[in-house]
Amino acid sequence: KVLIDVPCSDLAEELAQSQTKTQALQDTLQQVLDRREEERQSRQLLELYLEALKNEDSILSKVAESETGPRKDMDVVDAATSSTGTSAKTALSDQILAALKEKPAPELCLDSQDLELVLKEDTQALASALRWDKQKAEALQQACDQELSKRLQQVQTLHSLRSTSKGKKTLP
Protein backbone atom coordinates (compact mmCIF):
# COMPACT_ATOMS: atom_id res chain seq x y z
CA LYS A 1 0.00 0.00 0.00
CA VAL A 2 2.90 2.33 0.83
CA LEU A 3 4.52 1.68 -2.57
CA ILE A 4 1.29 2.59 -4.30
CA ASP A 5 0.83 5.80 -2.31
CA VAL A 6 4.35 7.08 -3.06
CA PRO A 7 4.49 9.47 -6.05
CA CYS A 8 5.62 7.63 -9.18
CA SER A 9 8.53 9.97 -9.85
CA ASP A 10 9.97 9.53 -6.32
CA LEU A 11 9.67 5.75 -6.53
CA ALA A 12 11.28 5.70 -9.99
CA GLU A 13 14.19 7.75 -8.73
CA GLU A 14 14.63 5.54 -5.65
CA LEU A 15 14.51 2.32 -7.67
CA ALA A 16 16.62 3.76 -10.50
CA GLN A 17 13.94 2.77 -13.00
CA SER A 18 11.96 4.64 -15.62
CA GLN A 19 8.64 6.20 -14.64
CA THR A 20 6.72 3.92 -17.03
CA LYS A 21 8.15 0.77 -15.38
CA THR A 22 7.47 2.22 -11.96
CA GLN A 23 3.90 3.11 -12.97
CA ALA A 24 3.40 -0.45 -14.27
CA LEU A 25 4.72 -1.78 -10.94
CA GLN A 26 2.34 0.45 -9.00
CA ASP A 27 -0.58 -0.62 -11.24
CA THR A 28 0.28 -4.29 -10.69
CA LEU A 29 0.50 -3.75 -6.94
CA GLN A 30 -2.87 -1.98 -6.99
CA GLN A 31 -4.43 -4.87 -8.93
CA VAL A 32 -3.06 -7.35 -6.37
CA LEU A 33 -4.50 -5.28 -3.52
CA ASP A 34 -7.84 -4.99 -5.31
CA ARG A 35 -7.95 -8.75 -5.92
CA ARG A 36 -7.14 -9.45 -2.27
CA GLU A 37 -9.89 -7.08 -1.17
CA GLU A 38 -12.37 -8.76 -3.51
CA GLU A 39 -11.38 -12.17 -2.15
CA ARG A 40 -11.78 -10.93 1.42
CA GLN A 41 -15.21 -9.51 0.62
CA SER A 42 -16.19 -12.74 -1.15
CA ARG A 43 -15.13 -14.78 1.88
CA GLN A 44 -17.12 -12.51 4.18
CA LEU A 45 -20.15 -12.74 1.92
CA LEU A 46 -19.85 -16.52 1.78
CA GLU A 47 -19.56 -16.70 5.56
CA LEU A 48 -22.64 -14.52 5.94
CA TYR A 49 -24.50 -16.69 3.46
CA LEU A 50 -23.54 -19.87 5.30
CA GLU A 51 -24.52 -18.32 8.61
CA ALA A 52 -27.87 -17.27 7.13
CA LEU A 53 -28.43 -20.82 5.86
CA LYS A 54 -27.70 -22.21 9.32
CA ASN A 55 -30.09 -19.71 10.88
CA GLU A 56 -32.76 -20.49 8.30
CA ASP A 57 -32.37 -24.23 8.89
CA SER A 58 -32.65 -23.77 12.65
CA ILE A 59 -35.70 -21.53 12.23
CA LEU A 60 -37.34 -24.01 9.86
CA SER A 61 -36.65 -26.89 12.22
CA LYS A 62 -38.12 -24.89 15.13
CA VAL A 63 -41.19 -24.09 13.03
CA ALA A 64 -41.54 -27.75 12.05
CA GLU A 65 -41.20 -28.80 15.69
CA SER A 66 -43.77 -26.26 16.80
CA GLU A 67 -46.21 -27.36 14.10
CA THR A 68 -45.89 -31.05 14.84
CA GLY A 69 -45.43 -30.81 18.60
CA PRO A 70 -48.83 -29.50 19.75
CA ARG A 71 -50.75 -31.75 17.37
CA LYS A 72 -49.29 -34.87 18.97
CA ASP A 73 -50.38 -33.65 22.38
CA MET A 74 -53.96 -32.88 21.36
CA ASP A 75 -56.60 -35.27 22.49
CA VAL A 76 -59.98 -35.84 20.90
CA VAL A 77 -61.76 -33.24 23.00
CA ASP A 78 -59.18 -30.55 22.16
CA ALA A 79 -59.45 -31.30 18.45
CA ALA A 80 -63.22 -30.98 18.51
CA THR A 81 -63.21 -27.69 20.40
CA SER A 82 -60.46 -26.16 18.30
CA SER A 83 -62.21 -26.97 15.05
CA THR A 84 -65.41 -25.27 16.18
CA GLY A 85 -63.69 -22.45 18.05
CA THR A 86 -61.38 -21.18 15.30
CA SER A 87 -62.47 -22.52 11.97
CA ALA A 88 -59.92 -20.36 10.13
CA LYS A 89 -57.11 -22.66 11.25
CA THR A 90 -58.86 -26.01 11.08
CA ALA A 91 -57.25 -27.63 8.07
CA LEU A 92 -54.78 -25.09 6.71
CA SER A 93 -51.25 -24.90 8.03
CA ASP A 94 -49.34 -21.65 8.37
CA GLN A 95 -47.24 -22.66 5.35
CA ILE A 96 -50.32 -23.04 3.15
CA LEU A 97 -51.73 -19.72 4.37
CA ALA A 98 -48.37 -18.02 3.71
CA ALA A 99 -48.29 -19.43 0.16
CA LEU A 100 -51.86 -18.27 -0.43
CA LYS A 101 -51.05 -14.76 0.75
CA GLU A 102 -47.65 -14.28 -0.88
CA LYS A 103 -47.84 -16.00 -4.27
CA PRO A 104 -49.51 -14.33 -7.25
CA ALA A 105 -50.93 -17.70 -8.40
CA PRO A 106 -50.86 -19.86 -5.26
CA GLU A 107 -52.87 -22.66 -6.86
CA LEU A 108 -49.84 -23.41 -9.04
CA CYS A 109 -47.48 -23.57 -6.03
CA LEU A 110 -49.50 -25.94 -3.85
CA ASP A 111 -49.58 -29.69 -4.17
CA SER A 112 -52.86 -31.47 -4.84
CA GLN A 113 -53.50 -32.37 -1.19
CA ASP A 114 -53.12 -28.73 -0.17
CA LEU A 115 -55.47 -27.69 -2.98
CA GLU A 116 -58.05 -30.13 -1.63
CA LEU A 117 -57.66 -28.65 1.85
CA VAL A 118 -58.24 -25.15 0.50
CA LEU A 119 -61.35 -26.34 -1.34
CA LYS A 120 -62.75 -28.08 1.75
CA GLU A 121 -62.22 -25.00 3.90
CA ASP A 122 -65.20 -22.79 4.65
CA THR A 123 -65.02 -19.68 2.45
CA GLN A 124 -65.68 -17.29 5.32
CA ALA A 125 -63.05 -18.97 7.50
CA LEU A 126 -60.56 -18.83 4.64
CA ALA A 127 -61.30 -15.15 4.08
CA SER A 128 -60.81 -14.32 7.75
CA ALA A 129 -57.61 -16.38 8.00
CA LEU A 130 -56.15 -14.55 4.99
CA ARG A 131 -57.71 -11.21 6.00
CA TRP A 132 -59.38 -11.00 2.59
CA ASP A 133 -62.94 -10.32 1.57
CA LYS A 134 -65.22 -13.26 0.83
CA GLN A 135 -65.22 -12.70 -2.97
CA LYS A 136 -61.44 -12.89 -3.15
CA ALA A 137 -61.47 -16.10 -1.08
CA GLU A 138 -64.15 -17.57 -3.38
CA ALA A 139 -62.08 -16.66 -6.43
CA LEU A 140 -59.06 -18.37 -4.86
CA GLN A 141 -61.09 -21.52 -4.16
CA GLN A 142 -62.37 -21.53 -7.76
CA ALA A 143 -58.82 -21.20 -9.08
CA CYS A 144 -57.74 -24.08 -6.81
CA ASP A 145 -60.68 -26.17 -8.03
CA GLN A 146 -59.78 -25.52 -11.68
CA GLU A 147 -56.12 -26.39 -11.06
CA LEU A 148 -57.07 -29.58 -9.23
CA SER A 149 -59.43 -30.56 -12.07
CA LYS A 150 -56.70 -29.91 -14.61
CA ARG A 151 -54.25 -32.07 -12.68
CA LEU A 152 -56.81 -34.87 -12.34
CA GLN A 153 -57.46 -34.74 -16.08
CA GLN A 154 -53.72 -34.96 -16.75
CA VAL A 155 -53.42 -38.01 -14.51
CA GLN A 156 -56.39 -39.67 -16.19
CA THR A 157 -54.90 -38.94 -19.61
CA LEU A 158 -51.58 -40.40 -18.50
CA HIS A 159 -53.28 -43.57 -17.22
CA SER A 160 -55.20 -43.84 -20.47
CA LEU A 161 -51.99 -43.51 -22.48
CA ARG A 162 -50.26 -46.11 -20.34
CA SER A 163 -53.10 -48.59 -20.70
CA THR A 164 -53.17 -47.98 -24.45
CA SER A 165 -49.42 -48.51 -24.76
CA LYS A 166 -49.59 -51.68 -22.64
CA GLY A 167 -52.34 -53.00 -24.91
CA LYS A 168 -50.19 -52.43 -27.99
CA LYS A 169 -47.25 -54.29 -26.48
CA THR A 170 -49.34 -57.43 -25.91
CA LEU A 171 -50.61 -57.55 -29.49
CA PRO A 172 -48.72 -59.88 -31.86
Side-chain angles (χ1 to χ4, degrees):
K1 182 70 177 153
V2 172
L3 291 175
I4 295 170
D5 293 338
V6 172
C8 184
S9 59
D10 294 346
L11 186 60
E13 186 179 316
E14 192 66 34
L15 293 175
Q17 296 289 328
S18 68
Q19 280 193 355
T20 55
K21 285 186 178 183
T22 307
Q23 184 64 46
L25 174 66
Q26 284 182 321
D27 291 345
T28 303
L29 290 172
Q30 184 62 51
Q31 289 173 358
V32 169
L33 284 177
D34 291 346
R35 185 173 31 117
R36 285 182 182 173
E37 179 63 19
E38 287 176 7
E39 289 171 355
R40 185 189 65 77
Q41 288 177 356
S42 295
R43 272 193 303 275
Q44 283 181 336
L45 187 61
L46 183 59
E47 288 170 2
L48 286 172
Y49 177 73
L50 292 173
E51 187 177 319
L53 278 177
K54 287 178 186 176
N55 289 341
E56 184 178 322
D57 286 344
S58 68
I59 290 170
L60 289 177
S61 65
K62 287 178 185 176
V63 167
E65 287 174 7
S66 69
E67 285 182 357
T68 57
R71 292 183 184 171
K72 292 177 182 176
D73 297 333
M74 285 178 110
D75 58 8
V76 177
V77 176
D78 289 340
T81 57
S82 71
S83 66
T84 57
T86 57
S87 59
K89 294 216 176 209
T90 52
L92 301 179
S93 70
D94 291 337
Q95 292 173 335
I96 296 173
L97 289 172
L100 294 174
K101 285 181 189 177
E102 296 169 3
K103 303 291 182 178
E107 68 275 6
L108 301 176
C109 303
L110 297 174
D111 63 21
S112 297
Q113 290 176 337
D114 292 342
L115 289 175
E116 288 177 359
L117 290 175
V118 173
L119 286 174
K120 289 178 184 175
E121 191 64 50
D122 178 59
T123 306
Q124 188 60 43
L126 181 63
S128 66
L130 295 171
R131 295 186 180 98
W132 290 353
D133 60 5
K134 192 173 179 180
Q135 291 80 13
K136 191 172 180 181
E138 286 174 351
L140 172 70
Q141 284 182 316
Q142 289 174 355
C144 290
D145 187 34
Q146 289 172 355
E147 179 62 24
L148 195 58
S149 297
K150 185 174 93 174
R151 291 180 188 180
L152 180 62
Q153 185 179 12
Q154 289 173 344
V155 169
Q156 289 172 343
T157 303
L158 183 62
H159 286 301
S160 175
L161 288 171
R162 282 186 182 161
S163 65
T164 303
S165 67
K166 284 181 182 177
K168 288 183 178 181
K169 288 180 183 177
T170 58
L171 292 175

